[in-house]
Amino acid sequence: MPAVQETIDQVRGIDIDQYKYGFETVIEVDKAPKGLSEDIIRFISAKKQEPDWMLEWRLDAYKRWLTMEEPTWARVEYPKIDFNDIYYYAAPKNVTGPVSLDEVDPELLRTYEKLGIPLREQEILAGVQTSKVAVDAVFDSVSVVTTFKKELQKAGVIFMSISEAIREHPELIKQYLGSVVPTTDNYYATLNAAVFTDGSFVFVPKGVRCPMELSTYFRINEKNTGQFERTLIIAEEGAYVSYLEGCTAPQRDENQLHAAVVELVALDDAEIKYSTVQNWFPGDKEGKGGIYNFVTKRGDCRGARSKISWTQVETGSAITWKYPSCILRGDDSRGEFYSIAVSNGHQQIDSGTKMIHLGKNTSSRIISKGISAGVSQNTYRGQVSIHRRAENARNFTNCDSLLIGDKCGAHTVPYIEAKNQSAQIEHEATTSKISDDQKFYAMQRGIPEEEAIALIVNGFVKDVIQQLPMEFAVEAQKLIGISLEGSVG
Amino acid sequence: MLEIKNLHARIAEDGTEIIRGLNLTVKPGEIAAIMGPNGSGKSTLSYILSGREDYEVTEGDITYNGESILELDPAERASKGIFLAFQYPVEIPGVATMQFLKVAMNEQRKARGEDELTTPDFMRRVKEAAEQLKIDPAMLRRPLNVGFSGGEKKRAEILQMALLEPTLCILDETDSGLDIDALKIVADGVNALRSPDRAVIVITHYQRLLDYIVPDTVHVLYKGQIIRSGDKELAQELEANGYADVIETAA
Ligand SMILES: Nc1ncnc2c1ncn2[C@@H]1O[C@H](COP(=O)(O)OP(=O)(O)OP(=O)(O)O)[C@@H](O)[C@H]1O
Ligand SMILES: [Mg+2]
């Protein structure tokens, strides 16, 4: 049909250079020499003023990593990464960790202002910013500021950069770090254990409901610099916390590496809600540049009746390799995964989840919405595994893919294994194209083409958007619209 | 108001000609009925009037208020006041009917350089129009047309028409699938929109609808051409005798 022919032409002329966050901050930096070695790891550890045991932990991981092979099973293609051609540490000069807001370099404050990240507590309290959200701002390899720390402290909640936590709460770090994602877990996670530079630490003690949303905002600024974030969130018995992660990077011709590890631990009756709005630079219209995002995120429902829920809106990155997972260890625990993955231009996404049912009466729910445009490839890869002891485990999976144009691809790769006969597993999958009928109908009512597409797509992802905290839902909807700009006329 | 001159149009994909030299004039305030056997090109004509890209106009012209609209896309035509009530309304999952209405109304206002509606103003208008058409407000919170019954879909089309206040309303078999009460409600809705500067094209197979929406002119469309035009008597004649005579006379 002509409509399709036209879409093809438009896709050919695709322009995804709409990335709003592509600017660079010019600031003096302190860098480690390029490349990876034991010395570099010692350098990072020293910069962070870490105790010896932490350095040993890193070095062990490094030795292990040297014996490992890069995984190749994902449906993504990229030239071999030269791990010695990367800077592993870059920090704004004279910043080794978060300071009070008055001491933060004004250039950095301006950067976060431009990104729309609220850092000034006074303004938030005065109602200039509408929502009250505590922010940990990580710039390249360091956390530059963490807001609302005092107020959170009053409630007993610890929210600080992981570097600080290693110094100030070594007992908690020793107990929990690597307890969900062991240093031996996989190639990128092991690399992360060796060279991680910053990230957030959250500890919500027994019975406490965290009084506000917490969020970490990651920004990669320096050229050729990898960002190795490490985040650890612990909710003790009956605790509740909702946490949001946001990410952007300047527009650069070279690819940059982001290899994060996020560990969540929920004890009895605890609940952790983790939301991500990932908007790393996706590369330009020729597919040049963009972030390689290799991420290991895992939650451990360690306690009975605990609940972990992952919600992700993935619009950026040249390559996304990411499977936020839940280990349902506690009886009656519940894991959820809600995902929207939008790929346009030359982006490649291989993402999904793993739900590992170990305890009795555990349940999991997976809702994945993939939207592909341009010449992108979008793969959902999900594993549901019911172990022998997991009586009455239940899973519901729904994977829908939406294609815009006909040069892109959507793939669904489910792995299901049930070793207990009482398991109930439901799997639904659909693939559809935005129909010309729907588009024409909306346009006939006076809605211009791009708005019509955005409206239809937002309808398609509604189930997931509803899972996001209010303030971010609106943001995410806009972001999806922007990511798809230029996918049609 | 609407002038279709020697219109030839084909399916763009395979080149099949569907509209073959069609002429039709509709004046402001006029209600024109278009009738004709299945497959004669009635829906196709309504799609071409509203700018669907699956069809190519190869000859002739369509002018609306003196201007050719052939180069305009469907959204642009809509904001000029052309509205099509679909024979088969389309489902849009996940988009609440209310939300769709708001976006559509505001996009049209934007295109005409008017301010967006305030939420209370919007709510008031929707409530009034829904009441008139006996539409349950709960239905408006559901995704547009998803799981609506055949009759509910048709009513939702008329609701959109009432809210968008178009100047040219094209109703493609709006009567099909409606029970007798609903037919009357819908007809009342259309009659309420009657005004000296608004024209209506009613595509239908049955006299029944024309008893309620009384046409000024009746046209028979056959194989992509208007083969006969007349007044409301013509519709009655067709109802009694079928199309055979008319087709024979024209041939
Ligand atoms: N996109 C298309 N692809 C193929 N054939 C088409 C297409 N659009 C219309 N046609 C054909 O054109 C002819 C006219 O169709 P149209 O739907 O306009 O008829 P109609 O007069 O509305 O019929 P009905 O009274 O049954 O609604 C039919 O033969 C139909 O099959
Ligand atoms: Mg028809």
Side-chain angles (χ1 to χ4, degrees):
Chain A
M1 286 197 313
V4 174
Q5 183 51 48
E6 209 168 294
T7 308
I8 295 169
D9 295 344
Q10 283 155 352
V11 166
R12 217 171 268 144
I14 202 162
D15 180 4
I16 59 168
D17 291 346
Q18 324 242 13
Y19 191 70
K20 273 202 316 194
Y21 308 101
F23 64 88
E24 178 182 350
T25 307
V26 181
I27 198 158
E28 270 193 275
V29 289
D30 195 2
K31 268 186 188 171
K34 217 181 209 176
L36 183 53
S37 65
E38 283 199 15
D39 284 346
I40 292 293
I41 291 166
R42 285 177 203 284
F43 175 95
I44 293 170
S45 191
K47 275 279 173 203
K48 303 275 175 192
Q49 299 159 21
E50 287 177 354
D52 285 346
W53 56 266
M54 195 68 239
L55 175 62
E56 288 310 314
W57 196 81
R58 289 175 178 276
L59 292 172
D60 280 352
Y62 177 61
K63 281 178 203 128
R64 174 84 186 197
W65 181 75
L66 289 174
T67 68
M68 294 168 93
E69 296 276 342
E70 216 172 323
T72 53
W73 44 263
R75 189 189 282 264
V76 291
E77 271 175 45
Y78 54 94
K80 207 162 168 45
I81 299 171
D82 181 352
F83 288 92
N84 276 315
D85 197 29
I86 295 173
Y87 291 101
Y88 286 81
Y89 181 89
K93 219 172 188 106
N94 305 321
V95 179
T96 47
V99 288
S100 81
L101 206 58
D102 318 329
E103 299 166 77
V104 177
D105 186 322
E107 194 53 41
L108 283 174
L109 284 182
R110 264 194 293 280
T111 299
Y112 285 94
E113 228 159 72
K114 260 166 128 174
L115 295 168
I117 310 303
L119 291 183
R120 297 172 196 279
E121 293 181 20
Q122 285 84 349
E123 287 181 13
I124 299 167
L125 293 172
V128 176
Q129 294 286 341
T130 46
S131 58
K132 192 160 151 188
V133 179
V135 180
D136 181 17
V138 177
F139 194 87
D140 289 326
S141 308
V142 287
S143 166
V144 290
V145 70
T146 309
T147 63
F148 289 112
K149 258 173 109 164
K150 284 213 183 74
E151 194 166 335
L152 287 164
Q153 243 162 29
K154 265 187 236 148
V157 175
I158 303 173
F159 179 42
M160 55 174 57
S161 75
I162 196 129
S163 307
E164 279 178 288
I166 289 167
R167 294 192 298 267
E168 292 178 25
H169 300 282
E171 64 305 330
L172 288 173
I173 296 291
K174 273 187 188 160
Q175 186 181 349
Y176 289 106
L177 190 74
S179 74
V180 186
V181 179
T183 52
T184 54
D185 194 80
N186 71 69
Y187 191 78
Y188 303 110
T190 305
L191 176 64
N192 176 288
V195 301
F196 77 86
T197 40
D198 227 330
S200 302
F201 175 74
V202 178
F203 179 80
V204 188
K206 199 168 166 170
V208 171
R209 208 184 149 83
C210 186
M212 62 183 96
E213 300 270 349
L214 305 183
S215 80
T216 303
Y217 199 86
F218 293 95
R219 175 83 177 164
I220 301 181
N221 188 61
E222 267 305 296
K223 214 169 146 170
N224 291 326
T225 299
Q227 191 177 57
F228 302 90
E229 115 200 32
R230 184 106 199 172
T231 289
L232 175 59
I233 300 178
I234 301 143
E236 280 197 331
E237 291 83 352
Y240 168 84
V241 61
S242 166
Y243 176 93
L244 184 111
E245 173 199 13
C247 340
T248 58
Q251 205 157 328
R252 296 191 183 284
D253 289 347
E254 312 82 25
N255 297 105
Q256 280 170 288
L257 182 62
H258 175 84
V261 172
V262 175
E263 297 177 279
L264 313 182
V265 179
L267 302 186
D268 288 358
D269 301 294
E271 180 175 348
I272 301 174
K273 203 172 149 59
Y274 191 107
S275 315
T276 306
V277 175
Q278 186 264 103
N279 187 23
W280 294 119
F281 178 54
D284 68 8
K285 61 185 163 199
E286 268 90 43
K288 226 170 141 195
I291 302 287
Y292 290 166
N293 196 27
F294 298 105
V295 174
T296 304
K297 288 185 168 172
R298 195 173 302 154
D300 189 354
C301 285
R302 211 165 276 183
R305 297 167 303 279
S306 56
K307 180 175 166 188
I308 287 178
S309 144
W310 298 100
T311 304
Q312 59 172 24
V313 177
E314 304 280 310
T315 60
S317 295
I319 292 176
T320 303
W321 182 99
K322 180 179 171 190
Y323 317 90
S325 308
C326 295
I327 301 168
L328 304 169
R329 203 183 300 277
D331 290 347
D332 303 287
S333 61
R334 179 168 172 85
E336 292 175 345
F337 174 74
Y338 298 98
S339 170
I340 298 171
V342 184
S343 57
N344 196 354
H346 290 259
Q347 286 177 272
Q348 304 175 61
I349 296 183
D350 194 301
S351 182
T353 186
K354 279 195 265 185
M355 292 291 172
I356 313 293
H357 293 252
L358 302 176
K360 297 190 187 74
N361 306 316
T362 46
S363 63
S364 58
R365 181 177 163 89
I366 299 170
I367 307 283
S368 160
K369 306 278 181 181
I371 299 154
S372 335
V375 292
S376 66
Q377 293 295 328
N378 202 325
T379 301
Y380 167 81
R381 190 182 299 277
Q383 181 183 3
V384 175
S385 165
I386 315 267
H387 284 232
R388 209 162 290 126
R389 278 188 52 259
E391 282 298 322
N392 296 319
R394 278 161 312 175
N395 163 264
F396 173 78
T397 300
N398 174 275
C399 288
D400 296 328
S401 311
L402 188 66
L403 300 169
I404 301 176
D406 60 0
K407 285 237 156 62
C408 52
H411 318 276
T412 301
V413 191
Y415 306 87
I416 299 169
E417 50 171 11
K419 293 195 185 129
N420 185 309
Q421 290 200 334
S422 63
Q424 285 177 38
I425 299 174
E426 267 180 88
H427 183 98
E428 292 171 358
T430 65
T431 299
S432 52
K433 284 190 74 162
I434 284 207
S435 79
D436 290 335
D437 284 344
Q438 289 176 332
K439 202 176 82 179
F440 172 62
Y441 186 88
M443 288 180 77
Q444 205 303 304
R445 299 309 188 233
I447 305 171
E449 189 169 26
E450 295 227 321
E451 279 75 20
I453 300 264
L455 188 73
I456 296 163
V457 168
N458 275 316
F460 174 75
V461 300
K462 188 177 134 245
D463 296 350
V464 176
I465 292 282
Q466 278 173 339
Q467 298 299 325
L468 287 171
M470 253 300 263
E471 316 76 90
F472 303 116
V474 179
E475 193 76 8
Q477 251 168 350
K478 275 194 215 137
L479 188 58
I480 291 166
I482 292 167
S483 310
L484 290 173
E485 258 169 40
S487 65
V488 288
Chain B
M1 169 172 235
L2 175 71
E3 191 108 33
I4 306 174
K5 275 189 236 138
N6 186 32
L7 187 70
H8 287 259
R10 61 184 187 193
I11 299 169
E13 190 186 32
D14 61 13
T16 315
E17 188 164 62
I18 310 282
I19 302 296
R20 306 181 175 94
L22 187 145
N23 292 290
L24 180 69
T25 302
V26 181
K27 294 204 254 326
E30 181 176 334
I31 298 208
I34 296 183
M35 306 183 78
N38 294 133
S40 56
K42 302 182 297 297
S43 293
T44 303
L45 176 63
S46 71
Y47 287 150
I48 292 169
L49 288 175
S50 42
R52 188 163 182 146
E53 40 182 23
D54 304 45
Y55 304 95
E56 251 171 41
V57 170
T58 50
E59 225 185 300
D61 201 1
I62 305 171
T63 59
Y64 188 61
N65 294 331
E67 263 179 89
S68 173
I69 55 168
L70 290 182
E71 295 302 316
L72 304 181
D73 79 13
E76 291 165 332
R77 296 186 198 197
S79 62
K80 291 215 179 290
I82 296 177
F83 179 92
L84 169 62
F86 284 63
Q87 181 174 2
Y88 304 108
V90 179
E91 300 186 355
I92 309 206
V95 179
T97 307
M98 203 69 124
Q99 181 196 358
F100 185 84
L101 289 172
K102 193 168 184 190
V103 174
M105 287 167 80
N106 280 332
E107 286 295 346
Q108 290 208 10
R109 296 179 74 89
K110 210 157 86 188
R112 291 194 287 257
E114 298 161 14
D115 282 345
E116 288 199 358
L117 289 170
T118 62
T119 303
D121 192 12
F122 166 75
M123 296 299 283
R124 188 182 49 77
R125 289 174 191 229
V126 173
K127 199 166 155 263
E128 275 175 21
E131 252 162 40
Q132 230 177 24
L133 291 162
K134 302 221 162 50
I135 289 173
D136 179 2
M139 193 177 102
L140 302 179
R141 287 194 287 273
R142 285 163 51 193
L144 183 64
N145 290 327
V146 178
F148 288 14
S149 76
E152 285 169 345
K153 282 184 184 167
K154 295 301 174 74
R155 249 186 267 192
E157 292 291 288
I158 302 304
L159 175 71
Q160 295 180 53
M161 185 168 94
L163 290 169
L164 292 169
E165 302 175 322
T167 46
L168 175 65
C169 311
I170 307 164
L171 309 180
D172 190 359
E173 293 195 32
T174 300
D175 50 341
S176 67
L178 289 181
D179 64 39
I180 308 207
D181 295 338
L183 183 73
K184 202 158 174 309
I185 293 165
V186 164
D188 287 346
V190 175
N191 287 326
L193 283 174
R194 265 188 112 142
S195 85
D197 47 12
R198 179 175 286 142
V200 182
I201 296 176
V202 186
I203 297 172
T204 183
H205 288 294
Y206 304 106
Q207 174 62 37
R208 210 181 48 171
L209 178 68
L210 303 181
D211 289 340
Y212 294 114
I213 306 173
V214 181
D216 301 302
T217 56
V218 175
H219 309 272
V220 179
L221 179 56
Y222 180 66
K223 290 195 173 162
Q225 287 183 337
I226 301 289
I227 55 166
R228 173 98 178 262
S229 297
D231 57 17
K232 61 184 179 192
E233 322 279 281
L234 175 57
Q236 279 149 15
E237 191 187 316
L238 293 169
E239 176 93 349
N241 307 327
Y243 291 107
D245 287 356
V246 178
I247 291 169
E248 221 162 276
T249 322

